[in-house]
Amino acid sequence: MSTDAAPRPDTAPDIGSTTRREPRLPWIAGRAPARPAPVAAFHSVSAATAALLGLVALGALIHEPVLIPPLAASAALVHCAPALPLAQPRSVIVGHLLGAAAGYTVAAVAAHGSAWAAAVAAGVTLALTTLARTPHSPACATAVVIVLQAPAPGRFVPLLFGATVLLVLTAYAASRVRRAAPRYPAYWW
């Protein structure tokens, strides 16, 4: 065995080189997007938190619990990934309304509180939002909450509609406050 062979590129020492070295395991590095600037991250997170606090205040004012888990996911989408199709107003508002319709329909056919029925409602919501070209994954959680908690539709659906419109409007306003922020929405309908 000869010792004068050149070492393999991934094991060669990097002495004095200014070039960036490739990771030993490139599949671990992934293709995640770049980390946002601290100012941009603070802006997105504070706008989403303010919108959610506004929804909680509204719910407390009218003595109706708000739908925080699905709406928190929606707020994360519209404020932190405003260019995605899932974050557009059409998908947010119509997606949640389709989720509510699926949730109430499945709950009418199956037993309220059933985890099996909740899973079916989420699947039906996914199918409906896909067919309607309004992809919005948090809408599936809306259907699940409806099946598991059985809220009164007369109060719940208007609250859900108002909450989704408020989320969209706060994302629109937040995107206009900071000059460097990405503009929301990419399209309205």
Side-chain angles (χ1 to χ4, degrees):
M1 180 172 174
S2 173
T3 59
D4 54 81
R8 289 188 6 217
D10 62 334
T11 60
D14 193 21
I15 301 171
S17 174
T18 58
T19 60
R20 186 175 149 215
R21 217 172 105 169
E22 290 298 317
R24 286 182 177 220
L25 302 173
W27 55 272
I28 288 179
R31 296 180 185 223
R35 183 174 287 121
V39 171
F42 178 77
H43 176 77
S44 296
V45 170
S46 60
T49 303
L52 292 170
L53 288 171
L55 291 175
V56 170
L58 178 64
L61 184 67
I62 63 173
H63 305 292
E64 188 72 32
V66 293
L67 196 58
I68 286 299
L71 293 177
S74 294
L77 283 172
V78 300
H79 289 283
C80 296
L84 288 179
L86 280 75
Q88 301 314 307
R90 167 190 171 110
S91 293
V92 174
I93 297 167
V94 175
H96 278 291
L97 293 177
L98 288 172
Y104 283 116
T105 301
V106 169
V109 174
H112 278 289
S114 164
W116 299 101
V120 169
V124 169
T125 300
L126 185 58
L128 289 174
T129 57
T130 300
L131 290 172
R133 297 179 341 174
T134 57
H136 193 66
S137 49
C140 296
T142 297
V144 168
V145 167
I146 288 171
V147 171
L148 295 179
Q149 295 182 354
R155 288 185 61 107
F156 180 80
V157 174
L159 180 62
L160 177 65
F161 177 73
T164 57
V165 169
L166 183 63
L167 277 179
V168 165
L169 293 176
T170 58
Y172 174 79
S175 76
R176 300 308 190 264
V177 168
R178 195 173 135 265
R179 186 178 309 221
R183 292 292 181 238
Y184 178 82
Y187 56 88
W188 284 96
W189 195 254

